[in-house]
């Protein structure tokens, strides 16, 4: 079956019933075999007209029903989160719940704007200063002065490196020039599609810069916390999940920051400092 253009535009919808209606019309146009009965069976609904009644506003979706529809449509994790939040926003009669749902919708939309790089574009991560220059170019008044741009990077790079970085960012389509200033083509850049091998060097560079920051940058200009913990694998998985969620929330929050003053590097690291502890046999 052809890819759904309606699902690709999911993040543009603010009414889940309109989204479902457009999806069903699209699927009917693509396949004569598609029907409300067919989809209801696929989603596991006993009533063949259930989805039709939802679209017409006769029924409300329960959370479980919304999850069934999401699975039947083949939505990805981020798309499913958006769809469920949209259902809550459209249906809830409580203002506080609607506000929470709208905040979730807004955060997911910002995440959906992230640019996913492929290995063909891994040049972006070949130099540690490419991400720094990208932020500086669009947030500072550097007036095409590559020496000034290079001096803003900490530690400093050369004017030649700064010029090359700007050229690379333009070629990759990560920044664009509008008149006398530059703009980013997306809010964030996500390296989830880049191989770990390609990212290894830039991560080493950032860890080295973190060591320099601990030693050279005043405490009030940085934040560093070190904690030694003894824990089980399940606790470790919990820590990873908390850190992952914290990272998402921070990125969503700062994406609305219109008063940028500096470029920061943020790291979350948790790693083993011992072998597995043997247990006494009972």
């Amino acid at each position: 079956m052809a890819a759904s253009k309606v699902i690709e535009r999911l993040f543009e919808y603010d009414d889940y019933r309109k989204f479902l209606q457009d999806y069903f019309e699209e699927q009917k146009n693509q396949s004569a075999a598609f029907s409300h009965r067919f989809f209801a069976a696929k989603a596991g609904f006993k009533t063949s007209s259930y989805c039709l009644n939802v679209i017409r506003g006769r029924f409300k979706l329960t959370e479980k029903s919304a999850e069934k529809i999401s699975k039947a449509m083949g939505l990805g994790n981020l798309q499913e989160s958006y769809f469920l939040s949209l259902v809550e926003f459209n249906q809830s009669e409580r203002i506080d719940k609607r506000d929470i749902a709208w905040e979730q919708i807004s955060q997911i939309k910002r995440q959906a704007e992230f640019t996913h790089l492929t290995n063909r574009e891994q040049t972006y991560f070949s130099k540690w200063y490419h991400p720094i220059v990208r932020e500086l170019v669009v947030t500072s008044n550097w007036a095409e002065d590559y020496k000034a741009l290079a001096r803003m990077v900490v530690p400093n790079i050369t004017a030649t490196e700064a010029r090359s970085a700007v050229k690379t960012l333009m070629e990759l389509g990560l920044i664009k020039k509008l008149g006398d200033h530059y703009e980013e083509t997306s809010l964030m850049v996500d390296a989830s599609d880049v191989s770990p091998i390609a990212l290894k060097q830039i991560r080493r560079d950032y860890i080295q810069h973190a060591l320099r920051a601990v030693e050279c940058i005043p405490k009030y200009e940085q934040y560093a916390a070190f904690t030694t913990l003894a824990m089980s694998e399940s606790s470790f998985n919990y820590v990873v999940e908390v850190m992952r969620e914290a990272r998402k929330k921070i990125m969503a929050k700062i994406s609305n920051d219109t008063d940028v003053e500096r470029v920061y590097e943020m790291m979350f690291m948790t790693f083993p400092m011992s072998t597995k502890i043997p247990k006494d046999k009972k």
Side-chain angles (χ1 to χ4, degrees):
M1 185 178 291
S4 170
K5 298 295 183 183
V6 173
I7 289 180
E8 290 178 1
R9 300 197 310 273
L10 170 58
F11 300 119
E12 299 175 11
Y13 285 85
D14 57 11
D15 184 336
Y16 83 85
R17 288 189 173 89
K18 175 61 176 171
F19 166 69
L20 291 178
Q21 181 180 16
D22 290 350
Y23 173 78
F24 275 90
E25 290 178 357
E26 175 196 53
Q27 296 303 303
K28 287 180 182 178
N29 291 332
Q30 289 182 359
S31 173
F34 186 89
S35 65
H36 285 282
R37 182 186 298 276
F38 169 82
F39 185 84
K42 183 180 179 181
F45 296 126
K46 295 180 180 179
T47 306
S48 60
S49 60
Y50 179 77
C51 292
L52 180 61
N53 285 320
V54 168
I55 291 173
R56 292 178 175 176
R58 296 171 181 168
F59 296 164
K60 285 187 176 182
L61 278 180
T62 64
E63 184 177 353
K64 184 174 292 186
S65 296
E67 290 175 353
K68 285 184 177 181
I69 288 177
S70 174
K71 294 293 187 298
M73 296 174 76
L75 300 184
N77 291 336
L78 197 62
Q79 292 171 330
E80 180 176 12
S81 296
Y82 186 87
F83 179 69
L84 296 179
S85 297
L86 198 59
V87 171
E88 178 70 20
F89 176 74
N90 291 154
Q91 292 188 163
S92 180
E93 297 179 357
R94 289 179 50 179
I95 295 177
D96 58 335
K97 285 191 173 183
R98 285 172 58 85
D99 287 344
I100 292 173
W102 182 252
E103 178 61 26
Q104 291 173 336
I105 288 170
S106 300
Q107 288 189 17
I108 294 170
K109 278 188 174 183
R110 289 192 287 268
Q111 291 180 50
E113 291 177 352
F114 290 4
T115 298
H116 292 270
L117 300 184
T118 67
N119 287 330
R120 290 174 297 176
E121 297 166 313
Q122 64 190 25
T123 304
Y124 177 70
F125 291 103
S126 65
K127 301 292 183 182
W128 64 266
Y129 49 80
H130 282 168
I132 314 301
V133 171
R134 179 174 183 253
E135 299 298 330
L136 288 173
V137 161
V138 302
T139 57
S140 66
N141 185 21
W142 61 291
E144 302 283 341
D145 184 343
Y146 289 96
K147 287 185 178 180
L149 179 61
R151 287 194 296 267
M152 282 190 283
V153 179
V154 179
N156 295 160
I157 60 176
T158 67
T160 300
E161 288 173 326
R163 186 184 297 274
S164 177
V166 173
K167 181 182 177 182
T168 298
L169 294 169
M170 292 283 288
E171 291 174 347
L172 292 177
L174 294 174
I175 59 173
K176 59 184 178 181
K177 190 173 183 180
L178 296 175
D180 60 351
H181 70 283
Y182 291 81
E183 288 187 1
E184 294 176 337
T185 56
S186 65
L187 291 177
M188 298 285 183
V189 178
D190 182 17
S192 60
D193 292 331
V194 180
S195 70
I197 295 176
L199 294 173
K200 186 173 293 185
Q201 183 57 51
I202 194 171
R203 286 172 174 167
R204 285 175 177 166
D205 290 339
Y206 282 141
I207 290 173
Q208 290 296 323
H209 293 319
L211 294 173
R212 178 196 57 80
V214 170
E215 295 175 354
C216 304
I217 294 180
K219 288 184 178 181
Y220 61 85
E221 292 186 358
Q222 59 163 299
Y223 174 80
F226 303 90
T227 307
T228 302
L229 301 168
M231 54 186 170
S232 64
E233 186 173 349
S234 62
S235 293
F236 168 76
N237 292 334
Y238 169 75
V239 170
V240 172
E241 185 61 29
V242 170
M243 293 170 70
R244 185 180 288 119
E245 289 301 314
R247 179 175 177 268
K248 289 180 182 178
K249 289 181 179 180
I250 291 170
M251 290 192 298
K253 175 69 175 178
I254 61 97
S255 65
N256 288 325
D257 194 342
T258 58
D259 189 24
V260 176
E261 297 177 286
R262 300 179 82 162
V263 177
Y264 291 82
E265 186 63 31
M266 181 181 69
M267 296 184 188
F268 290 91
M269 293 184 67
T270 301
F271 51 91
M273 292 289 288
S274 77
T275 60
K276 283 199 172 183
I277 301 170
K279 303 297 182 182
D280 292 335
K281 293 182 179 180
K282 294 185 180 180

